[in-house]
Amino acid sequence: KIDWGGDSALMAGGFLGVDLFFVLSGFLITGILIDEFRTTGRISIAQFYWRRARRILPPLLLVMLASLPAAWALLLPSELERFTLSLVAALAFVSNIFWFFELSEYGAQSGLLQPFLHTWSLAIEEQFYLVFPPLLIVMLRYLALVRVMWVVAGLTLIGLVVAAITTVLHPAFSFYAPSSRAWEMLAGALLAVISRQYSTRAQGGFYRFVPALSLGCRFGPFSVRNWLRCGIRASLRRLSSWPLAA
């Protein structure tokens, strides 16, 4: 969210850092998987998850161990219980679900001193990568890369519509829901597919447009989402007025 002065804001209601994190994650992971497929003719899903575990778990466990003495010394018994549950949720990569039921709204006063609240985004990322890499493997095996590009583009658009509708109907749930965040990682994945599809034909020309495409994938959907939000609200108002008209 970028304040614009007064009550107005640019991209109000969003948290730009974590949004960019999801887009970059989708771009990097998809690029790595496509490069592996091109080099070896296959993608080892076991090696993929092993690499992620080696990269994520050591620092996560280190932070957990460092937090335990401070939590034991500073937290009240009720807070210590929630702290313990948050550790379990972080290790199981379900922090987004846990914190939705604990806090409902991100940034709530009761969540300001929760050291593992930030792991909700890591949980969403891992949940996405339980589904997308196997799907990508199937697509790369049976489809040309240009067809993969169009499939990912379609999934991105569907994910954006789902996010817009969910945000209108239940904003707090939408914030933590992987279904509302999937389009951001898919947007990054789409850029990775496009870059690999056209890199051998016009590498220099294409990469000049990558920054603009990245900004378009990140910022453009806000206008679409606001348009959809207004349309959905107007439709709901019309539907609610029908019984009165009758």
Side-chain angles (χ1 to χ4, degrees):
K1 177 180 177 180
I2 303 176
D3 290 328
W4 205 246
D7 296 330
S8 60
L10 178 63
M11 294 174 292
F15 292 84
L16 185 60
V18 73
D19 292 331
L20 292 176
F21 162 75
F22 285 135
V23 175
L24 290 172
S25 175
F27 178 82
L28 292 172
I29 296 301
T30 304
I32 290 171
L33 292 175
I34 293 175
D35 292 343
E36 180 180 347
F37 184 82
R38 283 182 163 181
T39 303
T40 65
R42 59 188 295 271
I43 295 174
S44 173
I45 199 69
Q47 285 297 318
F48 169 76
Y49 291 127
W50 171 243
R51 289 194 301 265
R52 288 195 64 79
R54 278 192 312 180
R55 184 166 60 251
I56 293 171
L57 289 179
L60 180 61
L61 291 172
L62 179 62
V63 172
M64 286 181 173
L65 290 174
S67 302
L68 285 174
W72 182 266
L74 299 175
L75 297 180
L76 296 172
S78 60
E79 295 172 330
L80 189 60
E81 180 181 358
R82 183 158 70 171
F83 172 81
T84 304
L85 292 175
S86 73
L87 295 184
V88 176
L91 284 173
F93 298 112
V94 291
S95 290
N96 56 324
I97 301 171
F98 173 78
W99 289 115
F100 169 70
F101 286 106
E102 283 290 315
L103 301 177
S104 182
E105 182 179 355
Y106 186 84
Q109 189 68 28
S110 57
L112 296 179
L113 299 178
Q114 301 301 325
F116 289 96
L117 175 59
H118 66 282
T119 58
W120 71 269
S121 58
L122 179 62
I124 287 180
E125 188 188 25
E126 294 310 306
Q127 291 159 17
F128 176 81
Y129 290 129
L130 285 176
V131 177
F132 184 70
L135 176 62
L136 182 64
I137 291 172
V138 173
M139 289 193 294
L140 290 174
R141 184 171 298 174
Y142 296 106
L143 299 176
L145 193 59
V146 66
R147 293 184 180 273
V148 174
M149 178 184 71
W150 287 112
V151 172
V152 175
L155 292 174
T156 304
L157 181 60
I158 293 171
L160 175 59
V161 173
V162 170
I165 294 174
T166 310
T167 300
V168 172
L169 299 178
H170 201 316
F173 173 78
S174 180
F175 186 89
Y176 289 105
S179 57
S180 296
R181 298 289 182 171
W183 76 269
E184 297 174 330
M185 286 171 280
L186 286 168
L190 178 60
L191 286 175
V193 175
I194 292 173
S195 68
R196 269 65 179 182
Q197 168 64 21
Y198 296 105
S199 60
T200 56
R201 297 182 187 177
Q203 184 170 357
F206 172 77
Y207 282 105
R208 285 200 296 267
F209 295 99
V210 167
L213 287 171
S214 302
L215 290 174
C217 286
R218 181 58 234 132
F219 299 138
F222 279 98
S223 299
V224 177
R225 186 159 59 184
N226 288 336
W227 177 77
L228 287 171
R229 184 181 302 171
C230 293
I232 292 168
R233 285 175 176 169
S235 299
L236 291 175
R237 283 196 297 268
R238 284 197 296 269
L239 287 173
S240 63
S241 66
W242 283 357
L244 295 178

